[in-house]
Amino acid sequence: MRATVKVLARRAEVFPEGQLVVHEEFRGLRKPIASLSLQRFNYDGDPSDLPTWQALSGTDGTFADTYCPDGNALAMMSIGILPELHKQGLANRLIDAALVLACELDVEHLMGSYRPSQLGAYMVENVDGSPEFYIQARRADGLPLDPWLRALTRKGMELIRYDAEAMKIEVPLRQFNEYRLTPGMRSRVRHLATSDAGEIWLCGATGHFEINDRSVVYREANVWGKIGRLGFVSGGSAAT
Ligand SMILES: CC(C)(COP(=O)(O)OP(=O)(O)OC[C@H]1O[C@@H](n2cnc3c(N)ncnc32)[C@H](O)[C@@H]1OP(=O)(O)O)[C@@H](O)C(=O)NCCC(=O)NCCS
């Protein structure tokens, strides 16, 4: 459920300032090692009017038909750091860059429909768990259990609304079966339960699959959060 290179390239055409990338110099080459993708839209201040993540990303995920050039809000849509470079402060640096961008563009709100980075792993390990519970779960120090929500909370992010159907994608049964049998996936994909919606399968990704005799639907929950105006003064160096 990751954005393809083509989709990311199109986002960079639609909203170039909002596609933040950290590069590393290696033997004269600039290699991207971390990125944060932002969308610009209008927020009326009423959490119940917020769109789903999928609606905000546009019909093809490129932001093309939903980007609002004079929108009063920025939404962090997705972040990715090379796994070998986790826990070195890159997420922190990218959030700082988003705060700087929010100031530069003079928007009122910096927010996001955040995909909890470890929700998939949590759901696989906790058969009776739920996304709502995990999103609210805290460590002993009071910070969220989830790494991405934790990094955001350190910057003043407050949860404002559960995005129950952030992403909903229908896939052919054949595609699901191919995916389920690929090496590396076999051990992660497993049957969880039978519900009115059909058979529920987990796959280690944030969401789950619902399978019935008509369709296979991937469904994912996220959470909307907002960094208050005060957070905007935290500053930091913009990513390059
Ligand atoms: C979630 C994610 C973005 C976090 O990125 P990260 O760069 O590892 O985050 P940071 O380095 O800023 O912070 C992570 C931890 O490392 C610590 N840290 C930061 N710099 C450090 C350093 N130099 N030495 C030791 N620890 C450090 C932070 O304090 C933080 O500690 P915590 O675990 O107590 O919260 C990253 O794991 C990721 O890309 N995951 C996969 C993609 C994903 O799921 N994205 C979210 C949904 S789109």
Side-chain angles (χ1 to χ4, degrees):
M1 304 306 156
R2 291 194 185 117
T4 62
V5 171
K6 209 170 151 186
V7 166
L8 293 176
R10 181 75 182 112
R11 286 182 190 174
E13 288 170 358
V14 173
F15 182 25
E17 315 92 296
Q19 313 316 305
L20 308 177
V21 182
V22 180
H23 289 98
E24 187 179 69
E25 293 282 336
F26 183 69
R27 292 184 181 158
L29 293 174
R30 292 182 89 215
K31 180 179 152 197
I33 55 171
S35 70
L36 173 60
S37 177
L38 292 111
Q39 166 70 309
R40 188 166 183 171
F41 73 116
N42 260 313
Y43 176 47
D44 64 10
D46 180 351
S48 63
D49 289 340
L50 285 167
T52 64
W53 183 97
Q54 193 166 10
L56 188 56
S57 72
T59 45
D60 55 4
T62 64
F63 304 170
D65 53 357
T66 45
Y67 170 62
C68 186
D70 55 0
N72 68 350
L74 288 181
M76 298 187 217
M77 301 294 282
S78 54
I79 186 166
I81 319 279
L82 283 185
E84 62 271 29
L85 298 176
H86 286 181
K87 292 189 176 284
Q88 296 186 21
L90 285 167
N92 181 55
R93 194 173 150 196
L94 281 165
I95 301 168
D96 275 344
L99 285 160
V100 171
L101 182 70
C103 278
E104 285 171 357
L105 298 180
D106 198 24
V107 294
E108 286 172 50
H109 311 283
L110 178 60
M111 36 203 322
S113 170
Y114 302 114
R115 169 190 264 180
S117 58
Q118 290 297 313
L119 175 56
Y122 164 83
M123 291 300 290
V124 166
E125 282 162 22
N126 297 274
V127 183
D128 298 324
S130 72
E132 292 100 316
F133 177 83
Y134 175 73
I135 284 166
Q136 298 290 347
R138 294 284 181 274
R139 304 195 305 196
D141 62 3
L143 288 167
L145 198 55
D146 183 76
W148 178 216
L149 299 182
R150 196 159 63 237
L152 290 157
T153 301
R154 284 201 173 98
K155 294 288 174 189
M157 186 274 287
E158 287 174 12
L159 300 180
I160 53 175
R161 210 199 81 192
Y162 185 54
D163 188 3
E165 202 156 281
M167 195 187 284
K168 181 185 167 195
I169 300 170
E170 195 160 336
V171 293
L173 185 59
R174 181 186 46 77
Q175 191 179 330
F176 172 74
N177 281 330
E178 280 170 14
Y179 168 75
R180 168 166 92 82
L181 295 173
T182 50
M185 272 303 140
R186 227 180 263 259
S187 58
R188 298 168 77 186
V189 176
R190 69 180 177 80
H191 182 251
L192 178 70
T194 304
S195 79
D196 293 345
E199 301 295 324
I200 310 291
W201 287 71
L202 296 176
C203 56
T206 314
H208 64 267
F209 288 97
E210 293 168 6
I211 305 175
N212 59 41
D213 48 8
R214 291 180 306 280
S215 63
V216 178
V217 174
Y218 174 80
R219 216 180 277 275
E220 174 177 312
N222 290 359
V223 62
W224 271 101
K226 181 162 127 54
I227 298 183
R229 185 80 199 174
L230 270 181
F232 288 20
V233 297
S234 96
S237 56
T240 53

